[in-house]
Amino acid sequence: MTMTIEQEIEVLDQFPVGMRVLAVDDDQTCLRILQTLLHRCQYHVTTTNQAQTALELLRENKNKFDLVISDVDMPDMDGFKLLELVGLEMDLPVIMLSAHSDPKYVMKGVKHGACDYLLKPVRIEELKNIWQHVVRKSKLKKNKSSVSNGPGNSDKANNNRKRKEQYEEEEEEERGNENDDPTAQKKPRVLWTHELHNKFLAAVDHLGVEKAVPKKILDLMNVDKLTRENVASHLQKFRVALKKVSDEANQQANRVAIDSHLMQMTSHKGLGGFYHHRAIPVGSGQFHGGATMMRHFPSNRNLGRVNSLAGGMFQSSFPRNHNDGGNILQGLPLPPLEELQINKAFQSFDSQQNSLMVAPNNLLLLDGHPQSSSPSLNPGFSPHFETSNNKQRLEHWSNTVLSTNMPQSNVHSKPDSLEWTAFCDSATPLINPNMDTSSTSFCRNTDFGSSNAAQTDFFHPLQMNQQHANNWGPMPTEAQVFRNCDPKEGLHMASDAGSLDDIVNSLMTQEQSPTDFSEGGWVMV
Amino acid sequence: MNTIVVAQLQRQFQDYMVSLYQQGYLDNQFTELRKLQDEGSPDFVAEVVSLFFDDCAKLINDMSISLERPDHVDFKQVDSGVHQLKGSSSSVGARRVKNVCIAFKECCDVQNREGCLRCLQQVDYEYKMLKTKLQDLFNLEQQILQAGGTIPQVDIN
């Protein structure tokens, strides 16, 4: 039933009092107890000891109940089956009840769509909070219906609204506003993997940046389930990034910085795959601080050479003005940079997730203190120029980091306005007014898109985080679910958490018991 | 109202209750059930335990049929029965019964008919024993109420 916002709020005010629960258990003792417990929680309770009856009651009127609690072991129908059917037909939250504490059953319940899994004997405290599942579910439903033509919406009205939303979204992005509050956006997240982005790039390349419109790009990319809006928003960000890159590309020092940064970043495992698309002059930091580095660029001549080489390599990917940025955006290594004799001592970062955090921190720090003409280059913070490995590392990057909850954009968005000119002129301290040194913690997600309007997050970190959250999301009560089981700490992953699997696998040692954990990648730590 | 009589009865009730816990007949879940009893549902506990005993009788009967013929034991049925019994006994706080169910399940898992029969016998004994004890307890309650007193809250710890 569709309600106005005001109506919904009203209902919620009384909620969870009067929440309508259907309780199903073939054991009359347990059912009676459950009924009383639920009454004590001030819910409205209907009971039946037959799964079949329960289904009939539910089918009779979908809106009659808010939540179903069902035992797992029932003679007339498997509780999991009931769970599935209820989920499919009525999309109501279902809580499983069982005397089985075996994680296998818990897992099964979750896989069949249970919101929660309670062990008998059920305590009243547990029942007092089950209403959260109703709220959560209805919130999800609302989000879904605003994206697609949900039930109760006329197609036309919905289409119009959708188009308007798209338009608005694009408009906003044109203006560079980052008001992508994930909760407001309500669009399914697209994970722009390395692969996906490459397809995007290829399409744009083919069309020419000037002529690359979302629809055409989408067609060329030919990716299932990718929508025009996804491409459009991605393209917006991309364009902005390109523009910034091209602005800086005129500065010769940029080339070097970008490349070295790129190398440095590519040697990391666990960085967002998007980084290689941004010619992020975060690398300026290192040069900035590193006198050693500076020494390697004794004259403009060298830089110039690098530049032209770089320029030469960039031709293919992007049109004209964005030469310099294009290649970097594809994350290709730049061989000539080897001449710069920059330290290759970056191995440590490959395996350490933490270092990832550290390095950019240091970068930021460096940038924040422009007067450090002293070579306070962070030890271990050296770009890695082994070109042969770069591509591989990039892939590592995009595979791993994309799905991690790491606030990556800060590092990369800030340096956009870095004064590259200053770089060549080593006398002038590098000042990046936009560099937000307060957010030195690479791990902190705080500045995402919200703060500097001038900054651009090429890929949307919130988006990614949201994606990440969503992937993990479906098990909101995993803590509860595990509570009564053997306390195995681990990551509970949905079987469709594709890239998350990669990340988790690479991040954690995986010990899988020989039992039925083949699906879904149970990771026991 | 004879306050002395009431006080005596209440004392008796309390002691008896505590002893049931101490001897392991009852556990915390029973306490929880008692908490749910109020003016709205004054006979809640009695109701629930009587449902439980009915369940016990039925389940035990079904299981004994399954275990009857040595060459033809339906362990699946027995397992299902044990499982249910375990669930309901734990829900009412019938600790001893529940514990027998745990052993019972193990025998069932390895398809040990002899073991199952022993457990069946034991579970039968335990539930009947508990039934008697609780009956006594409820009788005491009634006496208190009839004497004009109130049922004391018993703190088991």
Side-chain angles (χ1 to χ4, degrees), chain A residues 255 259 303-318 320 322-328 332-336:
Chain A
R255 232 43 340 90
D259 297 335
L303 294 173
R305 190 161 82 205
V306 169
N307 196 18
S308 63
L309 278 167
M313 288 168 66
F314 293 162
Q315 278 160 3
S316 57
S317 56
F318 269 84
R320 307 69 195 183
H322 300 298
N323 273 357
D324 301 313
N327 214 17
I328 285 184
L332 291 178
L334 301 165

Side-chain angles (χ1 to χ4, degrees), chain A residues 397-439:
Chain A
W397 246 17
S398 50
N399 281 345
T400 52
V401 180
L402 269 178
S403 311
T404 52
N405 225 344
M406 289 171 30
Q408 298 129 356
S409 78
N410 273 350
V411 176
H412 301 286
S413 58
K414 309 305 179 186
D416 287 340
S417 342
L418 212 55
E419 323 277 20
W420 290 107
T421 28
F423 189 87
C424 297
D425 180 5
S426 52
T428 320
L430 272 178
I431 300 167
N432 181 8
N434 291 327
M435 191 65 107
D436 185 2
T437 54
S438 60
S439 63

